[in-house]
Amino acid sequence: MKLSVYATLGAAALLLSACAEPPQPPRPVPVKPPVEINGLWYLDQGWSDDARQWYYNTTQGSQIMRYDWFMALEDPQTGQPFVKSIPRYGYAAGTASGWNPNLLPVGFVKDTDPDKTEWFGMTCAACHTGDVTVNGKTMRIDGAVTTGDLYGFISGLSAAVHATVTSDAAFQPFATRVLGATATDQQKLALYNGLKAFDQSFATFVKDSTPDTPWGSMRTDAFGMIFNRVSVIDLNIPKNNRPPNAPVSYPYLWDAPHQPKVQWNGLLPNTTAFDALGRNAGEVLGVFGKVTLKPPADAAHYYYASTVRGTNLVDMENQLRKLRSPVWPDSLAGSVDIVKAAAGETLYKDNCESCHAILPRGETYSTAPIKMVSLFDWAQPDNAAAVLAAFNTICTKGVDAAVADKSISINYGADPKMAVDALCRTVDTGAIANVAMPPQLLGGTPLKNPDLAANLLSNAVIGAVFGDLVREPKLLMALLKGDDAPAPWLTASAPAGWAPESQTKGGTLDTTPLVKPGVKGTADHQKVIAALTGRGQVKPTVGAVPAGNRTVSALAKAQPTVSSKTTATKTATSADEALAAKIKELMAYKARPLDGVWATAPYMHNGSVPNLYEMLLPASQRSAAFRMGSTAIDPVKVGVDSASPAATFVYDTSKPGNRNTGHEFGAGLTDAQRWQLLEYLKTL
């Protein structure tokens, strides 16, 4: 029997234990040593510094505030430019380079419309770039979890704007910075009125985005924020707002483009470039991207105007496909204990690998296997009507009520709020009720009123992507080329004169038809439409469902194809069975490969467990509360360093959405085995 490399080297370590220099842990492929740039340490993740800086500083279409206004804004707490306060909210500070002439924090960029209006916005790098500090040295991990506090940032920005419009002593120097010293009173008055209008609208947005339980750093209710943004702001229907109370930890991005499903509950397919574009366009709309939701004027203009920069999103996704996980840096964090890691490898294979696949770092892969772990056991899993009735109880009365009536029992045990909110929330669809994206003749399903928030978001995303295809002809070719396309940063002249916002057109859409009137469309457009059709929107079923259950009636993936001889009863039964299967599939959380997991604390989908050691404990023995928010990690238990002075946010697991239950697969291990498994996890 062939011994594993860990077992072999573990035995050698025992023989050489008297040596002054312990052997280094085995690596599947050679790993370049950490590199220090501008005081930060970067690990070998397969990206060059140019690739990294391009990714940090390229717009995706987010527009928070006029760029000149933002850069002129002062933080009333510090008296300094507000842009310098962003790292105070936990976001990674930018480094000096030609790619970032204004020294913006990582993932905060300028976006320029065709009319040359400049905006300040975010990219995915803001939330998925993490600084990790150990032994006094800070590593910048690409694709890792930010320590950013999104609510803290937007509420702080709102306070700074309000302080500026409510004090002439604050407004006058602001106006001088924006307009210049020779500005007229009329110009200042126009600026004041514009800033006051922004103050009112942004304050409303912040109020409506206030969770009942603070998220703190490293987390946000992504679905809740996106649903509110599209249904409340873009549709202008305030009654659609719900407090975003199901926060999740930001997922790490290496391997993510290779997973067949994305989101913690596997809600979105991720098998084609079109799937990825739709998912990323939805992310843009959730972080201040703009979309105009109104019924298309005619078949020739069948799309929604948006600021989504599709070509940049495709380029970013292609680059992420090349991102590799960070290998535990022995020179910075301390050497792995090979003997324990050798024993831990066997424990991993026996206890973990069935859910968390191992991705050999030295091999090329196109799929990162995942496993969906069901949240519930259904009392009658083969009875579609019983599953639909249980789901109706979950959505209308809550999970506890469904447990009480014994229609479900708890299986995995993790906090279910995120999965439940994603599937159950309904909204008024307002002006675009009855609009199908794509059009019905291409397989689209009209929105009902009310309808699932997920359906509304899907409708908005597909319409925005169609609009981007009109605005940017290169987008189609970028989608078809995939990651064989030239690296975008090679076509930019950095550092001299490089302007990320100039790479992709953007702005309003008003005249260009998707296809010529009376023509079905070019072959390329038909490819895009065919690829998008059916991949996003969840189509309603016409089957028999519990009375009054709008959520259930809206959730079915597709109406089954039936012959003209099929009875209505059989049709309803088939539709119900398909719907029940989909509900069971989505009431689950994703288990993914754990390469680089050491750099991704806190753990569980909602960030409720501070370190990997506690992930191996029974839930009853985990921390009921802990501090987080610091970049410092505990290299022993591997996770957030709650003792760090910078860890100021107290995570309370008793709050709704914050439960730390579930994942008790290490509960039966001895403590010695937990430490062995922990040491092996460092090597993934």
Side-chain angles (χ1 to χ4, degrees), residues 603-655:
Y603 299 102
M604 295 287 279
H605 77 283
N606 58 355
S608 59
V609 180
N611 54 62
L612 288 177
Y613 177 75
E614 291 196 22
M615 282 295 295
L616 302 176
L617 292 173
S620 61
Q621 297 179 29
R622 295 170 184 163
S623 298
F626 60 92
R627 294 184 178 273
M628 67 179 194
S630 168
T631 63
I633 67 167
D634 177 347
V636 178
K637 291 185 176 180
V638 188
V640 297
D641 182 0
S642 294
S644 169
T648 57
F649 176 75
V650 178
Y651 189 114
D652 184 350
T653 63
S654 69
K655 300 295 185 181

Side-chain angles (χ1 to χ4, degrees), residues 258-606:
H258 303 282
Q259 295 172 18
K261 297 179 181 181
V262 291
Q263 306 299 344
W264 284 108
N265 63 341
L267 182 66
L268 302 178
N270 191 46
T271 57
T272 72
F274 302 98
D275 291 338
L277 176 58
R279 174 240 304 165
N280 290 327
E283 176 264 329
V284 175
L285 298 184
V287 288
F288 309 100
K290 299 174 182 176
V291 60
T292 301
L293 296 180
K294 61 182 180 180
D298 51 52
H301 298 82
Y302 207 91
Y303 48 72
Y304 299 136
S306 84
T307 62
V308 172
R309 313 305 191 212
T311 301
N312 284 358
L313 290 177
V314 172
D315 288 342
M316 290 176 183
E317 183 75 9
N318 290 340
Q319 183 174 334
L320 283 170
R321 294 181 69 83
K322 300 177 177 67
L323 181 66
R324 303 309 298 263
S325 57
V327 170
W328 177 270
D330 305 280
S331 60
L332 301 177
S335 296
V336 172
D337 185 317
I338 298 176
V339 176
K340 289 182 179 178
E345 181 184 26
T346 299
L347 291 168
Y348 190 91
K349 291 182 180 299
D350 292 342
N351 296 278
C352 310
E353 193 171 8
S354 61
C355 290
H356 298 287
I358 293 178
L359 292 179
R361 188 179 171 89
E363 299 178 12
T364 300
Y365 58 87
S366 58
T367 300
I370 62 171
K371 182 176 180 178
M372 300 306 300
V373 183
S374 179
L375 290 169
F376 313 126
D377 286 326
W378 303 82
Q380 301 181 59
D382 298 324
N383 183 328
V387 171
L388 297 183
F391 181 65
N392 184 45
T393 300
I394 291 170
C395 291
T396 58
K397 298 180 180 180
V399 172
D400 291 343
V403 172
D405 70 19
K406 299 183 179 180
S407 58
I408 64 170
S409 58
I410 300 300
N411 177 9
Y412 181 55
D415 194 306
K417 188 163 180 53
M418 177 267 180
V420 171
D421 283 8
L423 294 187
C424 292
R425 182 171 171 181
T426 59
V427 295
D428 188 321
T429 54
I432 58 173
N434 300 316
V435 173
M437 280 289 175
Q440 287 181 270
L441 62 87
L442 296 173
T445 300
L447 285 173
K448 294 183 178 299
N449 195 12
D451 206 335
L452 284 180
N455 280 349
L456 172 64
L457 176 60
S458 174
N459 182 289
V461 166
I462 292 174
V465 169
F466 279 1
D468 211 26
L469 286 163
V470 173
R471 181 176 65 232
E472 182 52 82
K474 292 188 297 184
L475 173 57
L476 180 62
M477 293 307 299
L479 283 165
L480 297 177
K481 284 182 179 180
D483 55 10
D484 292 330
W489 55 89
L490 297 179
T491 62
S493 55
W498 188 80
E501 69 277 6
S502 68
Q503 292 196 23
T504 303
K505 298 176 185 177
T508 57
L509 315 175
D510 51 10
T511 59
T512 311
L514 178 61
V515 294
K516 294 180 180 179
V519 180
K520 286 189 175 181
T522 65
D524 284 343
H525 276 131
Q526 293 289 11
K527 288 179 184 177
V528 173
I529 293 171
L532 288 170
T533 300
R535 289 204 174 273
Q537 186 162 346
V538 181
K539 300 181 182 179
T541 176
V542 297
V545 295
N549 188 346
R550 296 182 182 275
T551 296
V552 170
S553 66
L555 185 63
K557 187 68 174 178
Q559 174 67 29
T561 302
V562 295
S563 70
S564 59
K565 296 181 180 180
T566 303
T567 65
T569 299
K570 288 183 178 179
T571 301
T573 300
S574 179
D576 285 356
E577 289 174 349
L579 175 55
K582 180 57 61 178
I583 289 170
K584 290 187 290 183
E585 175 188 334
L586 293 175
M587 281 294 181
Y589 288 143
K590 179 174 63 179
R592 59 181 293 179
L594 296 182
D595 50 319
V597 70
W598 65 270
T600 66
Y603 299 102
M604 295 287 279
H605 77 283
N606 58 355

